[in-house]
Structures are given as C-alpha cells and as structure tokens.
Amino acid sequence: MAVTDRHAEQKAECEKLARSKLVYPDSYKRVSGFVKTADDGAQRTFQWTFTSRNNQGGMGRGAVVCKANYYLKMATVDVRQVN
C-alpha cells in the first residue's frame, strides 16, 4: 500500500496544535514559512515563527518546533517565546 504525502495535512495539524498552546490563540499570526528540518520516513520536523499577544497584553514573537507522524494524525509541538 502506497503512503500518501501528508505534508500539507501535517503542517495544518502542527499549526493547530501550536495555536492551542497559546494564552491568546486568536492573536496568532505566522510570520515565517515552514522549514522542514528533519524527515526520517516516519515523521517530519518543521520549524516556524509567529507573533501573538502575550500575558502582559503586548505582542510577542514565538518559535515552534513540531514533529508530525507520517502515518497517524499525531504531532507534538514545542512553543517558545523568543526576543
């Protein structure tokens, strides 16, 4: 059985998961493209940056690293504030 390329679906799942980790998810705005940093045939790793409102009421910049599974609708994200 051939595996379909889930690249677009993986990106969407990663972004949805990253947004859900924010205090103000509605303020999320991606400011860089997705960069694929790893692909081992079982999962892909993507990175990108975004802006969102922070808990002090201002806008902050963040970075995300997401590992998305090839075969399952499963991903993990690490969301961090950056300067």
Side-chain angles (χ1 to χ4, degrees):
M1 176 171 99
V3 176
T4 59
D5 186 357
R6 296 183 57 242
H7 204 235
E9 185 181 341
Q10 287 173 321
K11 288 178 180 179
E13 191 64 28
C14 284
E15 198 162 33
K16 179 180 169 186
L17 188 57
R19 189 180 294 215
S20 75
K21 302 276 186 185
L22 300 176
V23 175
Y24 300 102
D26 291 340
S27 68
Y28 169 91
K29 181 178 179 184
R30 186 166 28 97
V31 295
S32 75
F34 289 92
V35 176
K36 181 172 66 169
T37 59
D39 188 339
D40 66 8
Q43 72 178 10
R44 286 185 177 116
T45 303
F46 300 103
Q47 289 182 228
W48 70 95
T49 58
F50 67 93
T51 59
S52 69
R53 198 167 64 170
N54 59 31
N55 57 5
Q56 286 88 29
M59 291 300 285
R61 190 172 174 98
V64 179
V65 175
C66 180
K67 294 182 179 188
N69 189 288
Y70 259 65
Y71 307 103
L72 305 172
K73 191 173 181 178
M74 190 169 92
T76 60
V77 294
D78 180 24
V79 180
R80 297 179 185 213
Q81 186 82 20
V82 296
N83 294 335

